[in-house]
Amino acid sequence: MCGIIGYIGNRQATPILIGGLRKLEYRGYDSAGVSVIDPSSGAGSRVVRCRGKLSGLEQKLVAEPAVGTVGIGHTRWATHGRPSDENSHPHKVGAISVIHNGIIENHLTLRQELASAGAKFSSETDTEIFAHLVDHALTAGAPDLVTAVRRSLQKVRGSYAFVVMSDKEPGTLVAAKNSSPLVVGLGDGENYVASDVTAILSETRKVIFIEEGEMVVVTRDAVTITDFDGNVHKREPKIITWSALQAEKGGFKHYMLKEIHEQPRAVADTLVGRVDLENDDVLLDGIELDVKSIKRIIFIACGTSFHASLVGEFLIEALARIPVEVDVASEFRYRDPIIGKGDLVVAVSQSGETLDTMEAIREAKKKGAKVLAISNVLEASIPRLADYAFYTHAGPEIGVASTKAFTTQLVGMALLAIYLGRRTGTLKPEKARELLAELVALPQKLRDVVESGAQIQAIARRYGNATGFLFLGRGAQYPIALEGALKLKEISYIHAEGYPAGEMKHGPIALIDEHLPVVVLAPRGPSYEKTVSNLAEVRARQGKVIAIASRGDNEIGSHSDDVIVVPDVALELQPIVTVLPLQMLSYYVADFKGTDIDQPRNLAKSVTVE
Ligand code: AGP
């Protein structure tokens, strides 16, 4: 995720901005920049931007010093437009400098409108559009920066935290928030604005968190919060007592827990600009697949991304009726796969750098297949190697154990399946509409699940000393059982196996005794009754059952030791809600055992070796 900082006061802004951006480096970024004004000089702001690390920006600042007491700074993690100097923030149009976190959903339409009105663009980003909108509003008669920003906000849809500065009003920073975090720091004769408290903690601990749909006008001596209509919101500042490390983790004990809690927002970002409710369809970022020519889809991936691919198989076969195969990338590349022109290979990788997956793509391309990459990292090696790229926009994931990258891959699978199904004609508009509406409603439902942490923590404490776990599921819940087992192994070092629930009687049933916790995925659906029978079989052998069940299921409690309830969603989307309790269970078991959760032994975030 990108990082934001703004400063207005009497000290030199650049060192404060760079210091703040350094504190945000841990979040990952690919470019950085500042725009700084010296209000006493009457000259405009100086914008210095650079692809790459902050050290590169600092070197550039030696050659082109940005002097002044008012400024904004940004670290960018590319979403729209590759990492480059031109695409780095701040974007300057006329007198207006803008930094932005988030995604402007209607940027293509706005770009066309602005271009027809004569705007010239110097980047590929959605952010530059906002700088043009503000500049345009001023030219069209807005009396001041605040009004121009307010008018521009009415035109944009999407998630954002913006900070805007004008050469003509150097005593004011204007910021606005919708779905991306924004905080104001209060000083003495100086104030700050930032995406995270981490960025300003060394300067001040007195902060005001800006809420959804709010704007804030920051001067040296005052902070005024309003809604987008200008109604003033009064709010008392808070004193932050977190340490710098706690602040980096947003007050959570580990990055993994923070990332679990970020999933509602991450899923909303994956959906931005892709749900076309007017036409009951999906927009795939301009990707136009020749769907009629696709005879077969082959997923290639590793680890957690492999599990997401298994869910993809279920969804695409159900909604688009195209045959799907799923292969572990390291196996695919060495088995001389039969593959050719009618095949679409979908390579799934959160990091976009996994060597096994990359080599599997090379093999597929050599044999004439088209490749679509699903990646979380813009311009990583895998999406660059593929013919088409779909980005999940989960934001950087720091915990080695993948959580939000996985759920957003699942959302990507659902979008792809709907896109394909609408084009093969097997998915009727009514069903597509229902699924799209459910996808849009998902973030709120995921919020409900992440709030059930206390119950899951209590369960984790009870079973934290177990030496093994079994995870069972049927249909699209089987890959979730695999994922639950992998997560637990990765971070708690407890042996765990995921199994299709119907396979239990063919072997693993021998393991069951009073010491084996068995996690059973049993949301409502066609295989519910069969799954409940499996659960009864576990119980009959004294196994301990933790059931993941749909809200309102009053029956399952009599067959289980513990029930974790998830909200009702369409069958096709159930994996996205049922995986959350499993991530949380693994997290709390590992926390109970005191392992190194964010950097588990022997594991790496991106595996670039064979
Ligand atoms: C996930 O928790 C793991 N750390 C691991 O299995 C991972 O999914 C695998 O290495 C594939 O990574 P990728 O998605 O970046 O390609």
Side-chain angles (χ1 to χ4, degrees):
M1 253 328 233
C2 312
I4 277 178
I5 181 160
Y7 172 78
I8 183 158
N10 297 311
R11 293 186 284 155
Q12 280 302 312
T14 300
I16 297 170
L17 301 178
I18 297 290
L21 294 178
R22 280 235 174 280
K23 304 280 171 23
L24 299 176
E25 275 194 298
Y26 73 96
R27 297 154 57 93
Y29 66 104
D30 49 57
S31 44
V34 296
S35 177
V36 175
I37 306 184
D38 181 358
S40 61
S41 77
S45 67
R46 166 161 279 182
V47 179
V48 184
R49 308 180 293 181
C50 172
R51 181 191 168 151
K53 293 296 163 196
L54 275 173
S55 49
L57 177 64
E58 283 180 302
Q59 271 172 21
K60 235 176 156 176
L61 281 162
V62 173
E64 310 164 43
V67 178
T69 54
V70 181
I72 54 179
H74 190 264
T75 42
R76 173 173 190 252
W77 197 71
T79 59
H80 291 71
R82 73 213 141 79
S84 68
D85 288 1
E86 299 72 38
N87 289 336
S88 312
H89 303 206
H91 289 282
K92 190 163 182 191
V93 174
I96 302 300
S97 297
V98 171
I99 50 176
H100 165 222
N101 283 4
I103 298 167
I104 301 176
E105 193 169 331
N106 54 337
H107 68 105
L108 288 176
T109 324
L110 290 172
R111 183 179 275 260
Q112 275 162 8
E113 283 172 18
L114 286 159
S116 350
K120 297 267 176 293
F121 294 93
S122 53
S123 79
E124 306 156 315
T125 65
D126 50 342
T127 304
E128 190 190 347
I129 276 130
F130 197 71
H132 277 282
L133 284 176
V134 178
D135 178 61
H136 198 262
L138 285 162
T139 324
D144 52 28
L145 181 64
V146 180
T147 315
V149 171
R150 186 169 294 132
R151 287 184 189 163
S152 306
L153 286 172
Q154 270 145 22
K155 300 204 165 137
V156 292
R157 286 200 318 269
S159 61
Y160 49 78
F162 288 113
V163 187
V164 187
M165 192 173 83
S166 167
D167 295 353
K168 301 203 171 129
E169 295 176 52
T172 311
L173 296 178
V174 182
K177 165 184 161 61
N178 184 43
S179 294
S180 285
L182 191 66
V183 62
V184 171
L186 307 179
D188 189 9
E190 56 183 12
N191 288 311
Y192 309 81
V193 56
S195 49
D196 306 75
V197 278
T198 328
I200 51 176
L201 212 55
S202 56
E203 305 293 340
T204 179
R205 289 186 166 263
K206 200 169 169 190
V207 304
I208 302 178
F209 289 99
I210 305 305
E211 293 183 357
E212 296 306 311
E214 286 184 336
M215 278 178 72
V216 58
V217 180
V218 184
T219 64
R220 282 187 182 87
D221 304 307
V223 169
T224 312
I225 303 169
T226 65
D227 60 21
F228 289 180
D229 295 323
N231 302 305
V232 174
H233 290 187
K234 291 261 174 241
R235 187 150 332 120
E236 287 304 310
K238 286 197 164 91
I239 303 297
I240 296 291
T241 53
W242 300 338
S243 68
L245 191 63
Q246 277 171 321
E248 272 184 14
K249 295 174 186 164
F252 291 100
K253 191 169 174 187
H254 296 95
Y255 288 115
M256 182 183 176
L257 190 59
K258 176 172 178 264
E259 285 155 6
I260 287 173
H261 281 258
E262 279 171 355
Q263 291 180 103
R265 193 221 21 92
V267 164
D269 282 350
T270 310
L271 293 172
V272 164
R274 286 162 173 169
V275 175
D276 179 1
L277 285 171
E278 272 168 33
N279 298 302
D280 309 315
D281 203 2
V282 162
L283 306 167
L284 279 189
D285 311 346
I287 299 172
E288 285 300 335
L289 297 174
D290 180 10
V291 176
K292 298 276 183 225
S293 72
I294 302 173
K295 301 282 171 281
R296 181 176 63 155
I297 290 176
I298 304 170
F299 279 97
I300 46 177
C302 306
T304 287
S305 298
F306 173 72
H307 300 152
S309 305
L310 290 170
V311 175
E313 173 183 29
F314 173 87
L315 288 169
I316 291 171
E317 291 201 339
L319 302 180
R321 306 304 294 157
I322 299 173
V324 178
E325 286 174 24
V326 185
D327 221 330
V328 167
S330 54
E331 289 297 318
F332 177 88
R333 59 184 285 210
Y334 289 117
R335 73 172 166 81
D336 192 13
I338 303 167
I339 192 166
K341 281 206 160 40
D343 292 318
L344 174 71
V345 167
V346 182
V348 187
S349 170
Q350 67 79 25
S351 65
E353 297 294 346
T354 301
L355 186 71
D356 284 325
T357 310
M358 217 141 72
E359 292 305 327
I361 295 176
R362 289 203 171 98
E363 178 70 18
K365 287 189 84 168
K366 205 164 68 194
K367 293 193 152 142
K370 286 278 182 214
V371 178
L372 165 68
I374 298 183
S375 162
N376 192 36
V377 182
L378 202 86
E379 292 287 309
S381 308
I382 286 175
R384 274 194 282 122
L385 194 60
D387 300 287
Y388 318 97
F390 174 95
Y391 293 103
T392 49
H393 299 318
E397 195 175 62
I398 294 168
V400 165
S402 192
T403 52
K404 62 176 182 170
F406 178 68
T407 39
T408 54
Q409 284 172 348
L410 296 185
V411 172
M413 298 298 167
L415 290 171
L416 180 61
I418 296 170
Y419 173 93
L420 294 170
R422 292 295 287 122
R423 282 153 188 78
T424 54
T426 51
L427 180 63
K428 298 290 165 247
E430 305 73 47
K431 178 69 180 167
R433 192 176 316 145
E434 178 205 322
L435 288 173
L436 291 169
E438 289 235 19
L439 276 168
V440 171
L442 257 183
Q444 187 49 49
K445 295 189 175 176
L446 298 181
R447 233 162 254 134
D448 291 350
V449 185
V450 290
E451 273 156 26
S452 54
Q455 183 210 1
I456 299 177
Q457 187 172 23
I459 297 172
R461 285 200 180 124
R462 227 166 322 120
Y463 298 113
N465 288 319
T467 51
F469 272 68
L470 192 58
F471 289 76
L472 302 176
R474 285 176 183 259
Q477 296 301 327
Y478 163 51
I480 300 304
L482 292 175
E483 176 60 10
L486 178 68
K487 218 78 305 165
L488 189 73
K489 277 184 278 211
E490 281 190 297
I491 59 169
S492 74
Y493 316 144
I494 294 175
H495 179 70
E497 287 206 52
Y499 253 87
E503 259 308 276
M504 183 180 69
K505 57 187 174 293
H506 298 290
I509 199 164
L511 296 170
I512 295 174
D513 62 16
E514 69 276 24
H515 304 297
L516 185 76
V518 183
V519 181
V520 186
L521 292 141
R524 271 190 206 98
S527 42
Y528 174 78
E529 280 170 12
K530 288 201 165 45
T531 310
V532 170
S533 309
N534 299 136
L535 194 141
E537 287 159 14
V538 174
R539 266 312 223 30
R541 287 158 185 83
Q542 277 80 51
K544 301 288 179 228
V545 172
I546 304 162
I548 313 296
S550 302
R551 178 155 298 140
D553 179 346
N554 300 322
E555 187 198 334
I556 204 150
S558 54
H559 303 288
S560 317
D561 295 274
D562 292 282
V563 180
I564 301 170
V565 168
V566 292
D568 250 334
V569 293
L571 178 74
E572 294 83 353
L573 308 183
Q574 280 177 346
I576 309 174
V577 294
T578 55
V579 74
L580 263 66
L582 305 195
Q583 297 168 345
M584 292 161 81
L585 183 68
S586 308
Y587 172 81
Y588 285 117
V589 168
D591 189 40
F592 171 77
K593 296 194 71 184
T595 56
D596 188 353
I597 292 183
D598 286 328
Q599 288 182 319
R601 69 185 181 205
N602 309 334
L603 292 177
K605 187 69 190 161
S606 69
V607 184
T608 50
V609 291
E610 261 199 82

